[in-house]
Amino acid sequence: NDLKDAIADLKLYLGRMTGQEFASSANDAANGIVLAHVDSPGVPAGAVKALPADRKEAFVIWPDGDKRLWLVGRDDAGLTHAVSFYLEHLGCRWFAPSERWTIIPERKDIRIREAIALAPAFRSRFFFGSGGFGGNLPLDPKRELQGRWAAWTRRNHFGGEYLLAGHSGEGFNLKHKKVLEEHPEYRAMINGERVPWSQISKFCPSNQEVVDLFVKDRVDTYRQARKIDPTGPRSWAVSVEPADGGGHCDSPESRKIGSVSDRVFHVANQAAKAVRAEFPDGWVSLYAYNEHAAVPTIPLEPNVYVQVIPYAFQRTKFSPDQLLDAWSKKVSRMGIYDYWSIPDWSHDLPTFDFLTFGPERLRGWHRRGVDSFNCESTFSTGAMGPAWYIASRLAWNPKGDAYALFEDYVEKSFGPAAKPMKRMLTRWSEGFHLCSHELALSFRDIDEAWGLAEATPAMAGRVADYARYVEYLKRRFDYLQSKPKTDARRDSALRLMELLWGVYDSTMIHAFRHSQLLARDEALAGNENLGKDFDWRNPKAPGWATIHRFTDTEAREFVRNGVRDLKPLEYKVRRFAGPLVPLVEPKPSKGEYSSVLFVLNSQIFTVQSPGGERPFVLRLGCELSVRLTATDAKGEIVFEKEVATGKNWREDWSEVAIPLPKPGQYQVKIWSPRRAMRFSVPTDWLVIMDGWSNSQGLPTPRLYFYVPRETTRLAIFAEYIPAGPPRFFDPAGKEVKPELADGGKMIIVDIPEAQRGAVWSLDKAKCPIIPLVMLNSPTTFAFHPEALLVPRDAVKR
């Protein structure tokens, strides 16, 4: 168990620090390190008093003279954390699940002079990599990597009083398939028809017989968990979450219960009562997710624990923060399920902002009373190593200094090479884009770091791991640059697959999941052999014989080749901050409207209201209805409406009058999931967007943006520009041809000195998936120059 492993760590690492041998015993001793539960005989009264209340994982490290040290906890979980915090206090670090990333200082003195008492801010703190580890892999038949990750999370204070399960509907459907097939009235009704059985189908919440069957199934499951491990984290609650996806019953009887959320939580309430009847301290858990993300109107049983999924797959009128605020008013306790750089979306690119975004999200959760989180992520220390190291500490103390933790990470990891490694990692955190420019800079940073760390083999080894990771970024870049369904694409796919498995042991890449995704993508393009050659279920597949572990010497060659082959572009990335301010006074043109912009799914724009009685009148058209909300500077909703726009939405307008009587800036959001829409705004209001995604294959009209005085070469990253780059126009309206790199993904525009600190424009941009990213000018766009708002910092510079 975890405590047994922690005691083994204690003996191992104290021995490595001091050069002495340490033994453990169940017998009492007059000196040494004593691990004890708080109610054990002999525990000092001061330690008992110092132990934080109401936290199962709380602990105290209590010095008792020069020859005795007490580690005291409420149970084994607290003692496990006490061991790792004690070792950390002595200077030990586990920056990645690898021996070369383990920092063990030499020490003669292992005493603690002052007591340490800690408890986690979040009662449950878990993350996992999408797709997992794959079981007994050809290159890892004993699952050693999985074991290393488990040890790493324990040593870095993850875990919790409870571990909540996810969807339970699939298991219920499989277990009770026969009875569900025999009773069509048990199954959900959609559009007047009972759905056929499937693993993800829903049952009818108005049919008490099937509800009782589900409740019994859940109570039986919970009883078994409590029998196996009465106090373990999996025995705190049983999941009552339906099967994944939509398809909830809309029979007349079900509709009488209420909304989809009312129906789902109606069933959860019955399960909660049944669990509490047998186990007074028992809980049920489920998500606030998808069609049942909204807060139900019915009261909830006190032992219903809700994990809110606010940032994806929620179909409510609320922003994520608004949804969390709404739930915090409904329940006394809640958790979060979030997505932090999953490989399926982020492809293990270092796009996660671990210095600001991650810490602020954790702090925001804590402020709202969230007491647990479970993040779907990646088992890639290249993409998320610093992020999870910092998060592991802030989950215990949200007020901790993320920058100080990052300094600790780079200084102890890289020593004399810390400066270039910190420069690279900070640049990634502030905004990574996969392009030849970034790769050129990263290879140069690692080349500099390697030269500085050569005299220190341990630190050079960690630089080598990042060399492996940047080589992965390069090979993924090469793969994306190659044309699909060509020999070049197949060759680059093979090189990428060889790299994934060749650096498997380093933990820098979530190799198993990426091999699945790469094989799938290539199979869809007709290259099925890649997945067959590297079939992770078949140790005799021919691809495995070609894999070898890339050595540090080969990693050094990766860097030399990268420096030789890739050259940085000449531009400087800039960020802008401060409140949005107008550049000029708007010219009144009441009654006129801007050009039309077609967008997909949603659009958010900022409106500056002058105050007064005249409303902001927005013109809309959409395939289906549009949800519209307006929020003030505090995030409070001041207007919301569902707008049905009609069949002739491409020609006819629906006008929506939004009252904004108080002066100030408002965010207006229009949203119609998976649908195209068009809109137009009045030209006598200050209205900006911070990006857009086109729909209908239509390019954008003329949009205006500001180029600051210090920007000499405008740089724009365009992830998807299938029809070529936009057209650019200088302040006088003259078209300017851009410089293109990486097949048009990088766009550079030279800005003459006389035209800096001025409004430029573009048109005919097609951004079907991801908006343009302005790398050294404010990302604010307006439909005419007088309407532009920009961060004050951009103008003051």
Side-chain angles (χ1 to χ4, degrees):
N1 58 31
D2 284 348
L3 181 57
K4 182 178 178 181
D5 292 337
I7 292 171
D9 278 354
L10 188 61
K11 293 189 290 184
L12 172 66
Y13 293 121
L14 288 178
R16 287 176 58 180
M17 276 189 276
T18 64
Q20 304 293 317
E21 185 174 345
F22 287 76
S24 59
S25 171
N27 300 320
D28 193 15
N31 53 41
I33 300 171
V34 183
L35 280 71
H37 291 163
V38 67
D39 54 358
S40 298
V43 174
V48 175
K49 185 177 181 181
L51 186 66
D54 190 34
R55 284 293 189 274
K56 188 176 180 180
E57 296 174 289
F59 66 85
V60 173
I61 302 175
W62 188 264
D64 186 7
D66 284 342
K67 295 187 177 181
R68 207 171 200 195
L69 181 70
W70 290 85
L71 307 185
V72 180
R74 300 193 183 281
D75 69 2
D76 289 359
L79 295 178
T80 298
H81 292 303
V83 168
S84 59
F85 271 101
Y86 168 58
L87 292 172
E88 186 175 310
H89 185 83
L90 296 178
C92 295
R93 296 292 186 273
W94 299 272
F95 289 128
S98 166
E99 180 60 29
R100 71 170 18 170
W101 286 88
T102 300
I103 314 293
I104 308 298
E106 291 184 6
R107 292 185 68 101
K108 294 182 178 180
D109 188 351
I110 59 171
R111 291 173 293 182
I112 298 293
R113 304 297 183 184
E114 295 183 3
I116 300 171
L118 289 174
F122 293 88
R123 291 177 180 267
S124 181
R125 311 160 307 283
F126 287 93
F127 78 91
F128 67 96
S130 298
F133 295 98
N136 301 329
L137 300 177
L139 296 185
D140 189 6
K142 296 182 179 180
R143 306 189 186 191
E144 293 179 1
L145 189 67
Q146 184 173 348
R148 284 160 51 190
W149 271 103
W152 184 87
T153 55
R154 171 177 54 79
R155 291 162 179 160
N156 283 281
H157 326 308
F158 287 101
E161 299 176 21
Y162 41 85
L163 175 59
L164 304 175
H167 298 282
S168 64
E170 292 89 342
F172 172 77
N173 289 340
L174 288 170
K175 183 177 179 181
H176 300 282
K177 179 180 179 181
K178 183 178 179 181
V179 68
L180 291 170
E181 287 183 328
E182 291 174 349
H183 291 271
E185 72 276 13
Y186 286 3
R187 304 194 299 268
M189 175 182 286
I190 298 177
N191 297 328
E193 299 288 337
R194 294 291 175 183
V195 300
W197 178 92
S198 75
Q199 189 173 344
I200 62 170
S201 61
K202 312 299 186 293
F203 58 78
C204 179
S206 66
N207 186 300
Q208 195 57 47
E209 289 183 0
V210 73
V211 171
D212 290 344
L213 180 65
F214 179 76
V215 169
K216 181 180 183 304
D217 178 272
R218 297 293 82 204
V219 174
D220 290 346
T221 299
Y222 188 59
R223 187 185 302 113
Q224 184 66 16
R226 295 278 290 238
K227 183 179 179 180
I228 294 171
D229 187 5
T231 62
R234 296 182 183 275
S235 301
W236 186 76
V238 64
S239 170
V240 294
E241 172 66 18
D244 203 358
H248 291 272
C249 184
D250 65 0
S251 69
E253 295 78 13
S254 293
R255 286 182 176 273
K256 289 179 182 178
I257 297 172
S259 67
V260 173
S261 281
D262 290 343
R263 296 168 222 165
V264 170
F265 284 92
H266 164 75
V267 175
N269 274 342
Q270 295 183 60
K273 290 178 183 177
V275 165
R276 195 168 68 248
E278 186 171 343
F279 303 97
D281 62 340
W283 289 71
V284 301
S285 69
L286 73 167
Y287 297 141
Y289 165 72
N290 205 329
E291 294 177 1
H292 61 282
V295 176
T297 61
I298 62 174
L300 297 184
E301 291 296 311
N303 60 324
V304 173
Y305 189 89
V306 180
Q307 270 191 303
V308 187
I309 305 181
Y311 306 102
F313 309 117
Q314 61 107 334
R315 301 184 182 184
T316 73
K317 62 188 178 183
F318 297 121
S319 71
D321 285 348
Q322 291 164 351
L323 184 62
L324 285 174
D325 289 338
W327 271 106
S328 68
K329 296 173 184 176
K330 183 72 175 181
V331 296
S332 59
R333 295 177 62 183
M334 65 178 179
I336 287 284
Y337 188 101
D338 199 5
Y339 303 87
W340 282 25
S341 191
I342 69 173
D344 304 50
W345 300 344
S346 300
H347 308 289
D348 277 1
L349 305 182
T351 53
F352 189 86
D353 179 0
F354 59 83
L355 287 173
T356 54
F357 174 84
E360 284 307 309
R361 181 155 282 190
L362 283 170
R363 291 169 184 141
W365 294 344
H366 188 248
R367 285 195 302 270
R368 289 178 169 85
V370 172
D371 68 2
S372 73
F373 64 80
N374 190 13
C375 289
E376 190 170 347
S377 184
T378 177
F379 292 122
S380 163
T381 49
M384 289 292 289
W388 283 123
Y389 174 74
I390 291 170
S392 69
R393 275 71 185 163
L394 298 184
W396 284 70
N397 175 22
K399 295 181 180 179
D401 187 338
Y403 286 89
L405 291 167
F406 178 52
E407 287 283 350
D408 184 64
Y409 176 89
V410 293
E411 290 294 336
K412 286 187 171 61
S413 294
F414 307 112
K419 183 177 179 180
M421 295 302 293
K422 179 182 178 181
R423 180 173 63 232
M424 180 182 74
L425 294 172
T426 302
R427 189 176 63 248
W428 290 357
S429 183
E430 291 179 347
F432 176 89
H433 302 289
L434 186 59
C435 58
S436 59
H437 173 77
E438 176 54 54
L439 291 172
L441 294 178
S442 296
F443 276 122
R444 281 160 175 76
D445 288 333
I446 291 178
D447 187 51
E448 179 183 342
W450 211 315
L452 295 170
E454 278 183 326
T456 313
M459 293 175 178
R462 296 174 202 128
V463 174
D465 274 348
Y466 267 102
R468 292 174 170 86
Y469 179 65
V470 175
E471 178 67 13
Y472 159 73
L473 299 178
K474 180 181 181 298
R475 294 197 188 189
R476 176 155 186 84
F477 174 77
D478 292 342
Y479 173 73
L480 295 174
Q481 288 289 108
S482 60
K483 189 176 180 180
K485 299 184 180 182
T486 63
D487 289 342
R489 170 60 68 94
R490 285 186 284 273
D491 289 344
S492 62
L494 178 59
R495 281 176 48 78
L496 180 54
M497 184 70 83
E498 290 172 341
L499 191 283
L500 291 174
W501 291 111
V503 303
Y504 173 83
D505 280 350
S506 72
T507 78
M508 299 304 288
I509 309 295
H510 190 170
F512 169 69
R513 184 57 174 170
H514 276 296
S515 71
Q516 288 183 305
L517 297 173
L518 182 60
R520 179 202 65 187
D521 291 345
E522 282 302 290
L524 291 173
N527 180 17
E528 296 181 354
N529 288 335
L530 186 69
K532 293 178 180 178
D533 289 346
F534 293 92
D535 185 350
W536 56 275
R537 295 156 296 195
N538 179 12
K540 295 182 179 179
W544 301 121
T546 69
I547 297 299
H548 79 283
R549 309 293 168 84
F550 289 105
T551 65
D552 287 358
T553 300
E554 289 172 296
R556 189 73 179 100
E557 195 62 22
F558 292 157
V559 176
R560 292 192 181 99
N561 293 340
V563 171
R564 181 195 65 206
D565 297 338
L566 297 165
K567 307 299 179 186
L569 299 172
E570 293 183 13
Y571 72 87
K572 185 176 181 180
V573 174
R574 297 181 184 277
R575 283 189 162 192
F576 303 94
L580 295 172
V581 297
L583 290 173
V584 297
E585 289 295 326
K587 296 179 181 178
S589 54
K590 189 175 180 180
E592 296 183 12
Y593 273 79
S594 70
S595 301
V596 179
L597 180 61
F598 282 78
V599 297
L600 186 65
N601 295 335
S602 67
Q603 185 63 53
I604 298 175
F605 39 92
T606 300
V607 178
Q608 180 159 307
S609 172
E613 296 301 318
R614 186 166 70 91
F616 173 74
V617 181
L618 179 67
R619 287 180 172 176
L620 282 172
C622 184
E623 293 177 292
L624 292 178
S625 62
V626 179
R627 295 178 183 179
L628 188 150
T629 60
T631 54
D632 62 18
K634 295 181 180 179
E636 298 292 331
I637 296 177
V638 298
F639 179 85
E640 55 185 326
K641 189 174 184 178
E642 186 101 4
V643 182
T645 60
K647 293 182 179 180
N648 297 323
W649 65 276
R650 292 180 181 84
E651 291 80 29
D652 299 336
W653 289 114
S654 294
E655 291 193 348
V656 184
I658 306 172
L660 303 173
K662 294 182 179 180
Q665 292 177 359
Y666 297 80
Q667 272 203 344
V668 175
K669 178 180 180 179
I670 53 177
W671 180 37
S672 184
R674 301 187 183 91
R675 298 294 174 177
M677 68 182 86
R678 66 180 187 134
F679 70 92
S680 180
V681 301
T683 56
D684 58 335
W685 287 70
L686 297 175
V687 183
I688 61 159
M689 307 175 295
D690 61 1
W692 70 92
S693 294
N694 301 86
S695 72
Q696 303 295 297
L698 296 174
T700 58
R702 185 72 68 90
L703 295 174
Y704 296 85
F705 60 93
Y706 179 69
V707 177
R709 285 189 175 89
E710 60 275 3
T711 298
T712 61
R713 280 167 59 83
L714 177 69
I716 301 172
F717 181 74
E719 182 65 56
Y720 293 100
I721 301 290
R727 295 192 306 174
F728 291 90
F729 302 90
D730 68 16
K734 181 181 177 182
E735 184 176 356
V736 177
K737 296 294 184 182
E739 172 189 337
L740 304 179
D742 301 345
K745 287 190 174 184
M746 282 299 306
I747 304 171
I748 305 293
V749 181
D750 282 314
I751 308 295
E753 185 174 359
Q755 295 173 335
R756 299 169 194 163
V759 176
W760 285 59
S761 59
L762 59 81
D763 70 3
K764 296 192 174 181
K766 290 187 177 182
C767 311
I769 300 175
I770 298 177
L772 297 174
V773 180
M774 311 296 281
L775 299 177
N776 53 8
S777 70
T779 305
T780 60
F781 298 91
F783 287 95
H784 59 105
E786 290 82 11
L788 196 56
L789 298 166
V790 299
R792 179 178 292 165
D793 185 40
V795 181
K796 287 180 68 176
R797 290 189 187 187

